[in-house]
């Protein structure tokens, strides 16, 4: 028996909105410690890793480890039927072939049940090595989303270069080129507006706009985003889900074509 | 050649070995293409109502048109193709080859008959059977490939064996062919339908040798070791083995084929020679110049700039849980459920 209850269904809606463009379907691994999802997009360029800790739920019970393959499009349709302040309960029997989502309105006067068929998915569990990143940038998530959106009008890829002074996002294309520089902020009054850079050595990497723009769909989840970069390893874009866990995106960099 | 119904057997016994994917997922990969198979495909498939495409002089151009457009399609999708051409046929296959020759003679006769009777459908049918890839076709294709900046290799013997050796040596990611033979030569990954036309919307089949063998509970050595044992054990009257069956020689053909050492091969992709292509295709073969120049631009564009990296190299696969057989669900009739508890038991009880 699996049961997880969360007072705000809005968090689930936001998570689904953030990942449903990259993944058509995914397996949710449920265990005593919480719910995890890890999947690469079809082209094996990006990876989504979602962790929701059991202690962040208002009620959580998982008797046996359970893997539920779900179509994210269908799941998103179901969550569209819930109001933001509805309480959501996810239920499944051990070895079940369906999962039930129950939405309760705030005053308990309306209760809706949605049952969804589970899917049988091929899945690969990937081991993600611990990396000490050369640069870790924390910045307002809305600002990052804005930059990605703006620059993607000019070119297909964005070059992110991080130095002690700040972070530079640049691109070029048919109409011209664009550069956005963000400096580290010295005032720490408003934590959610701060830009902080921890740097061991400078890094410059190139990424496809298309994927960055998909990642920034997670912006409504939280005020800050963390970008971790090292030479020749994937970029990690991390959004914290307050009190519940985190959503991480990994993206393989673009590489210079070598002639030989 | 080919192995009778191997694909079907695999689908039944080792479904996890076959994966259907999209051409877009192969960007950045180097892929060895069985060129002779390709040429044949083009000669058969690239046609108009009256048969193969020809220039004014009546020379066939189907193979060039095919090579031109399908190669552009591969490169546009970020794939780095290398074409491998057949060398001399192995001696052992001479019997099979002479049989084919006889069939061609028969087909020619049938075609003559159909032409006399004016039966267009029959004519088309036998015309297709008469298709043969000639030296001239291969040479022309090679000339076009070098103008396009795409490398090709002349295999000393069978192209599939050469492709497989290159996959094994890590020179390329996979062999693209329709012929399952490439697996028996030890090609780790085989791609089918790679060079099909876009309009057919055929998904690419990716077949992994290790998963095939796992599914069949064999290792590659055993596959060959057992023919003697099989011969001893089967009822020879019921299943008479072919006469003069030189299976030892046949085995050698697979385990120790005549190939060029993959380490000595250098693969290099370069910019296309636009003027050269225009001269070759437009003035000699009467292609439309705009289309050729357009194709050239596409090749150049695909070569410029950076390539998207893949995540596969960065992370290691810890475990794979393949989906349960889909067929089980179909057998269970109307209650189509994704994941059936105890479904396996029921499947067997039929």
């Amino acid at each position: 028996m699996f049961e997880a209850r969360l007072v705000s269904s809005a968090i689930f809606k936001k998570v689904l909105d953030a990942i449903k463009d990259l993944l058509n379907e995914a397996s949710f691994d449920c265990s005593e410690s919480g719910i995890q999802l890890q999947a690469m997009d079809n082209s094996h360029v990006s990876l989504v890793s979602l962790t929701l800790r059991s202690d962040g739920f208002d009620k959580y019970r998982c008797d046996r480890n359970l893997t539920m393959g779900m179509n994210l499009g269908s799941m998103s349709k179901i969550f569209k039927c819930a109001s933001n302040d509805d309480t959501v309960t996810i239920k499944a029997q051990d070895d079940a072939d369906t999962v039930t989502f129950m939405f309760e309105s705030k005053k308990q006067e309306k209760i809706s049940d949605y049952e969804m068929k589970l899917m049988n998915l091929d899945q690969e569990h990937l081991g993600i090595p611990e990396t000490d990143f050369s640069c870790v940038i924390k910045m307002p998530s809305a600002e990052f989303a804005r930059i990605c959106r703006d620059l993607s009008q000019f070119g297909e890829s964005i070059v992110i270069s991080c130095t002690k002074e700040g972070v530079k996002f640049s691109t070029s294309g048919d109409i011209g080129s664009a550069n956005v520089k963000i400096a580290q902020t010295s005032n720490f009054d408003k934590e959610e507006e701060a830009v902080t850079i921890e740097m061991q050595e400078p890094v410059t990497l190139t990424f496809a706009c298309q994927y960055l723009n998909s990642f920034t769909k997670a912006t409504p989840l939280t005020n800050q985003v963390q970008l971790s970069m090292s030479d020749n390893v994937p970029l990690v874009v991390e959004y914290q889900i307050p009190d519940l866990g985190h959503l991480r995106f990994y993206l393989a960099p673009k590489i210079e074509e070598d002639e030989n | 050649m080919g192995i009778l119904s191997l694909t079907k057997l695999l689908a039944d016994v080792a479904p996890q070995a076959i994966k259907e994917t999209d051409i877009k997922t192969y960007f950045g990969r180097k892929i060895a293409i069985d060129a002779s198979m390709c040429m044949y495909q083009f000669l058969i498939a690239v046609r108009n109502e009256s048969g193969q495409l020809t220039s004014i002089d009546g020379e066939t151009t189907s193979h060039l048109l095919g090579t031109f457009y399908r190669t552009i399609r591969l490169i546009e999708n970020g794939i780095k193709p290398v074409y491998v051409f057949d060398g001399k046929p192995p001696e052992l296959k001479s019997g099979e080859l002479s049989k084919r020759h006889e069939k061609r003679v028969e087909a020619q006769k049938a075609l003559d008959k159909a032409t006399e009777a004016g039966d267009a459908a029959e004519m088309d049918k036998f015309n297709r059977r008469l298709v043969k890839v000639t030296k001239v076709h291969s040479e022309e294709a090679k000339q076009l490939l070098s103008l396009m900046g795409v490398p090709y290799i002349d295999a000393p013997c069978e192209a599939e064996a050469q492709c497989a050796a290159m996959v094994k040596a890590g020179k390329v990611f996979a062999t693209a062919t329709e012929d399952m033979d490439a697996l028996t030569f030890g090609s780790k990954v085989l791609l089918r339908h790679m060079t099909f036309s876009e309009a057919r919307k055929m998904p690419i089949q990716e077949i992994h040798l290790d998963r095939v063998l796992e599914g069949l509970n064999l290792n590659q050595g055993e596959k060959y070791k057992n023919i003697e044992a099989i011969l001893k054990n089967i009822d020879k009257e019921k299943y008479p083995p072919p006469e003069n069956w030189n299976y030892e020689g046949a085995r050698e053909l697979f385990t120790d084929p005549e190939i060029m050492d993959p380490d000595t091969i250098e693969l290099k992709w370069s910019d296309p020679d636009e003027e050269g292509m225009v001269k070759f295709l437009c003035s000699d073969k009467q292609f439309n110049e705009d289309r050729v120049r357009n194709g050239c631009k596409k090749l150049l564009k695909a070569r410029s700039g950076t390539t998207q990296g893949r995540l596969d190299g960065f992370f290691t696969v810890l475990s794979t849980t393949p989906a349960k057989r889909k067929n089980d669900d179909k057998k269970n009739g109307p209650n189509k459920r994704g994941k059936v508890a105890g479904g396996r038991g029921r499947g067997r009880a039929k």
Side-chain angles (χ1 to χ4, degrees), chain A residues 44 97 125 127 252 255 257, chain B residues 307-308 312 316 318-319 337 339:
Chain A
H44 288 201
D97 50 12
H125 282 275
I255 30 189
E257 191 72 42
Chain B
T307 332
Q308 175 64 54
D312 311 287
T316 44
L318 292 180
S319 65
R337 292 196 264 181
K339 192 173 176 181

Side-chain angles (χ1 to χ4, degrees), chain B residues 216-235:
Chain B
L216 299 176
N217 272 325
L218 291 171
N219 68 45
Q220 237 200 328
E222 272 176 84
K223 213 176 198 169
Y224 310 108
K225 224 184 280 168
N226 283 341
I227 299 179
E228 285 93 345
I230 293 169
L231 276 180
K232 255 183 235 158
N233 290 322
I234 57 166
D235 183 348

Side-chain angles (χ1 to χ4, degrees), chain A:
Chain A
M1 170 81 177
F2 170 79
E3 194 177 332
R5 184 183 163 92
L6 199 60
V7 170
S8 157
S9 67
I11 291 180
F12 260 102
K13 287 181 177 220
K14 289 175 190 166
V15 168
L16 281 175
D17 282 340
I19 63 176
K20 73 176 199 307
D21 286 352
L22 287 166
L23 310 170
N24 296 326
E25 57 247 336
S27 292
F28 290 75
D29 295 318
C30 309
S31 69
E32 223 170 279
S33 57
I35 302 176
Q36 276 211 310
L37 175 156
Q38 194 205 63
M40 277 198 268
D41 72 298
N42 267 336
S43 50
H44 288 201
V45 172
S46 67
L47 179 132
V48 176
S49 165
L50 170 73
T51 301
L52 303 173
R53 294 186 310 271
S54 55
D55 55 35
F57 287 90
D58 300 292
K59 186 180 168 196
Y60 190 91
R61 175 181 164 192
C62 183
D63 301 340
R64 273 172 61 185
N65 287 0
L66 183 71
T67 299
M68 296 191 285
M70 299 198 209
N71 179 307
L72 297 181
S74 314
M75 198 175 165
S76 168
K77 273 183 197 155
I78 290 176
F79 273 89
K80 285 232 163 64
C81 305
S83 305
N84 275 342
D85 52 3
D86 280 0
T87 297
V88 56
T89 310
I90 305 171
K91 283 186 285 197
Q93 298 297 323
D94 294 338
D95 275 335
D97 50 12
T98 59
V99 58
T100 305
F101 301 99
M102 186 172 79
F103 303 123
E104 294 163 84
S105 68
K106 219 160 191 182
K107 289 178 194 145
Q108 297 272 322
E109 78 277 15
K110 178 181 161 198
I111 297 176
S112 11
D113 265 311
Y114 295 87
E115 196 183 62
M116 188 176 81
K117 287 174 193 152
L118 290 176
M119 299 174 80
N120 209 346
L121 300 175
D122 259 330
Q123 52 165 348
E124 282 181 346
H125 282 275
L126 294 175
I128 299 166
E130 286 287 319
T131 314
D132 286 325
F133 287 98
S134 309
C135 294
V136 178
I137 304 151
K138 285 196 183 111
M139 64 185 286
S141 55
E143 189 63 61
F144 178 61
R146 176 80 201 259
I147 292 171
C148 292
R149 198 187 62 211
D150 289 351
L151 294 194
S152 61
Q153 303 180 89
F154 294 87
E156 282 173 9
S157 41
I158 294 182
V159 179
I160 306 180
S161 54
C162 181
T163 58
K164 245 200 309 258
E165 286 73 46
V167 198
K168 192 174 87 179
F169 299 86
S170 46
T171 185
S172 63
D174 292 340
I175 39 173
S177 61
N179 286 291
V180 177
K181 277 184 214 148
I182 303 268
Q184 192 155 194
T185 47
S186 45
N187 91 37
F188 284 95
D189 301 347
K190 288 183 183 164
E191 209 179 303
E192 67 266 20
E193 286 172 20
V195 176
T196 53
I197 300 167
E198 285 167 42
M199 193 202 76
Q200 259 73 50
E201 50 189 311
V203 180
T204 299
L205 289 170
T206 310
F207 300 101
C209 291
Q210 176 204 344
Y211 289 94
L212 294 175
N213 278 328
S214 292
F215 299 168
T216 56
K217 298 254 162 65
T219 305
L221 278 172
T222 180
N223 290 325
Q224 284 260 316
V225 61
Q226 177 176 308
L227 313 176
S228 310
M229 303 200 296
S230 274
D231 252 343
N232 297 319
V233 300
L235 162 81
V236 187
V237 180
E238 178 173 333
Y239 293 89
Q240 291 292 334
I241 306 169
D243 303 324
L244 189 58
H246 60 249
L247 177 57
R248 279 188 197 139
F249 299 98
Y250 293 78
L251 176 61
K254 286 192 156 194
I255 30 189
E256 281 302 324
E257 191 72 42
D258 69 41
E259 279 297 307
N260 303 309

